[in-house]
Amino acid sequence: MNLLILNGPNLNFLGIREPDVYGTQTLKDIEDHIEQYATKLGHHCTFFQSNSEGALVDRLQQAHMDEVDGIIFNPAAYTHYSYAIHDAIKAISVPTVEVHLSAIHARESFRKESVVAPACIGQISGFGPTGYALAIHALEEKSV
Ligand code: DQA
């Protein structure tokens, strides 16, 4: 599969940002690990991170043009209020898995709601960087 791994705002600060919540690995560490893992399974990965909602919407639309087979997306704080990201995922009809490093349902109440999840095939939360690998398996299951 041709996979797009998207990460939203402040995830470029992984390793620096609240390590007790998000761990000590940098985004580059996580991406390198996903790439190795996905390559062994025969998949091709493209990575994109942005702090900007519009750039994430543009990248989702680009995924439609590029005929991406699946998207693994941690929308970060946009999860909780971005209808633009919800609409973009619906618009492109590429199967998308929402991933969160932390257990969003066990945190502050504003994190329990995802306005993005209803546009996705599922949500994985609370397993740290392993969540991205679990999302690859979810997409494999969907594509058979
Ligand atoms: C996050 C959870 C969000 O609530 C938060 O705004 C993030 C990271 C996670 O991966 O656990 O930035 O998406």
Side-chain angles (χ1 to χ4, degrees):
M1 285 187 291
N2 192 12
L3 301 173
L4 173 66
I5 291 78
L6 270 185
N7 282 287
N10 299 305
L11 294 171
N12 56 321
F13 257 52
L14 288 174
I16 300 168
R17 176 189 185 197
E18 299 180 86
D20 48 319
V21 178
Y22 298 115
T24 53
Q25 290 189 54
T26 65
L27 184 58
K28 173 90 171 64
D29 294 336
I30 294 172
E31 288 178 344
D32 286 350
H33 186 259
I34 298 168
E35 181 144 47
Q36 273 181 24
Y37 187 77
T39 303
K40 273 191 201 145
L41 293 169
H43 306 304
H44 176 264
C45 294
T46 304
F47 297 94
F48 183 76
Q49 186 277 331
S50 179
N51 295 324
S52 143
E53 186 180 34
L56 291 164
V57 169
D58 287 345
R59 195 63 192 80
L60 286 163
Q61 292 180 1
Q62 186 61 43
H64 169 79
M65 318 296 178
D66 295 346
E67 299 187 359
V68 164
D69 301 305
I71 299 173
I72 297 169
F73 191 6
N74 184 344
Y78 288 135
T79 304
H80 313 299
Y81 65 94
S82 177
Y83 299 114
I85 285 175
H86 170 114
D87 285 352
I89 295 169
K90 292 281 261 196
I92 59 171
S93 55
V94 178
T96 300
V97 180
E98 182 182 310
V99 170
H100 300 283
L101 296 162
S102 66
I104 57 170
H105 299 285
R107 298 183 63 198
E108 302 97 313
S109 59
F110 77 89
R111 294 187 204 277
K112 294 184 203 289
E113 190 190 1
S114 170
V115 302
V116 173
C120 295
I121 61 169
Q123 183 194 65
I124 296 168
S125 158
F127 299 105
T130 304
Y132 294 91
L134 295 172
I136 292 175
H137 288 298
L139 288 166
E140 282 176 334
E141 287 296 314
K142 275 279 166 187
S143 73
V144 279

